[in-house]
Amino acid sequence: MNKVELKTSWLDFLSSQDFSHAITFKPNDANFTKSVAALHRLFVKAHMLIQRRLIGRGFNLTQNRARQTPALGIVEGSLLTGHIHGAFKVAPEDWAKFEGLFAEEKRRGPDRNIWRTLVASGTCVVEPIYGAKGWHSYTLKDVWQTDDTDRVVMLPLSA
């Protein structure tokens, strides 16, 4: 399989996953090392916090696995400008609650902005995904230029 076929296959696969929301997570912290591994860890932590708020403390129990929110994180940028493009498949009945998890005005307390909980100076933008193929093509652009698919992480991780 050549590079073009691989890219097309990835785009077809990701577009078929019916992700409902896109989030761009930016650390905006000069002291934070924006390596691929560090950004992956932040995305995994953000996903865990999302699951905890949407499902509850037992989000990872076997009986709750079917309720979890599938997610895809793609690291983009250099060590200076690194950020994450996230795609989430949120159940329609949870859309408002999910979007509220990242509200800027919620900086303190148990309902504070999830991204600000992890990176105090961080910013994020949440948007519904309307054109899946175009969105995934945009977020995967660096992966195909540098040929490092380790920039991609899919959640939830296997139990």
Side-chain angles (χ1 to χ4, degrees), residues 123-137:
T123 56
C124 61
V125 177
V126 181
E127 297 177 337
I129 295 176
Y130 296 112
K133 206 160 225 172
W135 188 85
H136 290 296
S137 181

Side-chain angles (χ1 to χ4, degrees), residues 98-157:
F98 176 82
E99 291 167 5
L101 298 177
F102 303 96
E104 273 303 307
E105 67 273 7
K106 295 181 181 177
R107 294 178 184 233
R108 297 175 189 251
D111 292 332
R112 67 188 172 276
N113 178 309
I114 283 179
W115 188 240
R116 293 263 182 166
T117 299
L118 297 173
V119 185
S121 60
T123 56
C124 61
V125 177
V126 181
E127 297 177 337
I129 295 176
Y130 296 112
K133 206 160 225 172
W135 188 85
H136 290 296
S137 181
Y138 171 76
T139 60
L140 288 170
K141 66 186 177 295
D142 278 357
V143 173
W144 308 119
Q145 290 177 3
T146 59
D147 196 30
D148 54 351
T149 51
D150 63 335
R151 290 178 175 262
V152 179
V153 62
M154 298 184 90
L155 300 171
L157 300 172

Side-chain angles (χ1 to χ4, degrees), residues 27-35 38-39 42 79-80 82 115 118-119:
N28 299 331
D29 185 345
N31 297 319
F32 176 76
T33 303
K34 298 168 192 84
S35 68
L39 289 166
L42 272 178
L79 291 177
L80 297 174
W115 188 240
L118 297 173
V119 185

Side-chain angles (χ1 to χ4, degrees), residues 25 39-40 45 47 50 55 60 62 69-70 103 106 110 117 123 137 141 149 151:
F25 296 107
L39 289 166
H40 273 194
K45 287 179 184 178
H47 184 259
I50 291 165
I55 299 170
N60 210 26
T62 304
T69 304
K106 295 181 181 177
T117 299
T123 56
S137 181
K141 66 186 177 295
T149 51
R151 290 178 175 262

Side-chain angles (χ1 to χ4, degrees), residues 38-54:
L39 289 166
H40 273 194
R41 284 191 298 274
L42 272 178
F43 187 72
V44 170
K45 287 179 184 178
H47 184 259
M48 183 269 304
L49 291 173
I50 291 165
Q51 296 308 285
R52 186 174 286 162
R53 297 240 192 113
L54 290 179

